[in-house]
Amino acid sequence: MSILLLATPSIDQLARIIGTIAAPAFLLGAVASFISVLVARTNHIIERSHFLHGIADGDVSRAYLKADIPRLKRRAALLNRAMLCCVLSAILTALIIIVAFVSSFYQLAHEYGVALLFVGALIAFCVSLIDLAREVRISFHENDLRK
């Protein structure tokens, strides 16, 4: 019976891999922070929506505010997609780190795979930023400034 023994990566190899994954690790931190911003904005939209739905139809002084509900739904949809893209970016970034270490352990070339994952993570993050920009653009309305 033969047992497959793998060569343990050297300290130099591990140091090189850790240096290689520094940028993805920072991206992962940025994505995590960005997700918290998106969640906070979504919570604000939900609170505002609950407030608007609580306005009685007979309250003529504030009934006009209910016209804002479709705009809030659009904002929530943009933030939802932004969060989805952020989570996808985080998953791809985590995969970069995993692939780098596993490839080093098995002494496999991983440059192309890691590069593709990094590009995918950045594209997903950019789409998330674009959705946030679109949401911010429609977020301010004159009804938001009234009491």
Side-chain angles (χ1 to χ4, degrees):
M1 179 165 38
S2 92
I3 298 175
L4 177 63
L5 295 176
L6 300 173
T8 305
S10 69
I11 295 297
D12 292 334
Q13 287 174 311
L14 289 175
R16 186 176 50 89
I17 293 299
I18 289 171
T20 303
I21 64 164
F26 281 115
L27 178 60
L28 196 56
V31 168
S33 297
F34 189 59
I35 288 173
S36 69
V37 169
L38 296 174
V39 167
R41 293 185 71 85
T42 301
N43 286 338
H44 175 73
I45 290 171
I46 291 169
E47 290 172 7
R48 178 80 173 158
S49 179
H50 285 294
F51 170 76
L52 294 179
H53 284 292
I55 296 174
D57 291 333
D59 186 354
V60 292
S61 66
R62 297 187 303 165
Y64 70 93
L65 292 173
K66 285 192 167 195
D68 204 30
I69 292 173
R71 184 175 66 95
L72 290 175
K73 286 182 179 179
R74 178 70 181 135
R75 288 178 60 199
L78 285 169
L79 288 172
N80 186 43
R81 191 173 93 159
M83 275 191 270
L84 180 66
C85 288
C86 251
V87 169
L88 176 62
S89 178
I91 291 169
L92 291 173
T93 304
L95 285 174
I96 291 169
I97 296 167
I98 292 167
V99 166
F101 276 106
V102 170
S103 296
S104 175
F105 187 71
Y106 289 107
Q107 298 178 354
L108 300 171
H110 64 280
E111 292 79 12
Y112 291 114
V114 167
L116 289 174
L117 287 170
F118 195 70
V119 167
L122 287 177
I123 288 171
F125 190 62
C126 285
V127 169
S128 184
L129 288 169
I130 290 167
D131 282 342
L132 175 66
R134 291 174 63 201
E135 186 272 333
V136 166
R137 187 166 186 218
I138 64 173
S139 69
F140 294 108
H141 192 269
E142 68 182 50
N143 288 347
D144 293 334
L145 303 175
R146 294 184 184 176
K147 291 222 178 211

